[in-house]
Amino acid sequence: MDVPIRDRSIRLGQFLKLANLIENGSDAKLVTADGAVSVNGEVETRRGRQLVPGDVVALGGLTARVAGEG
């Protein structure tokens, strides 16, 4: 699924919440620390990683792609 963002980039933790891949912001720390999140096919443990349109985030069999606003 494509998830539009307003700015040029978004932090991974914020995107996980925006895309409804996690229930609340504190879950971002847990799932990234556990190595459960991948960005563009590679495990990502930094919840502050900057994502840009085109990046694909996966968690627990669900995927979401960062999309530009328009």
Side-chain angles (χ1 to χ4, degrees):
M1 94 180 114
D2 284 354
V3 179
I5 61 172
R6 288 182 291 202
D7 298 316
R8 293 182 183 186
S9 66
I10 187 171
R11 293 184 190 275
L12 176 58
Q14 294 171 319
F15 184 76
L16 290 169
K17 175 72 173 105
L18 180 65
N20 292 318
L21 296 175
I22 57 174
E23 288 190 27
N24 57 58
S26 63
D27 290 342
K29 184 176 184 177
L30 299 173
V31 296
T32 53
D34 286 346
V37 178
S38 67
V39 177
N40 300 328
E42 296 187 14
V43 172
E44 182 56 70
T45 58
R46 299 170 295 158
R47 68 178 178 186
R49 160 135 181 212
Q50 292 291 322
L51 303 175
V52 295
D55 284 339
V56 176
V57 177
L59 172 63
L62 301 173
T63 61
R65 182 173 49 190
V66 181
E69 189 173 31

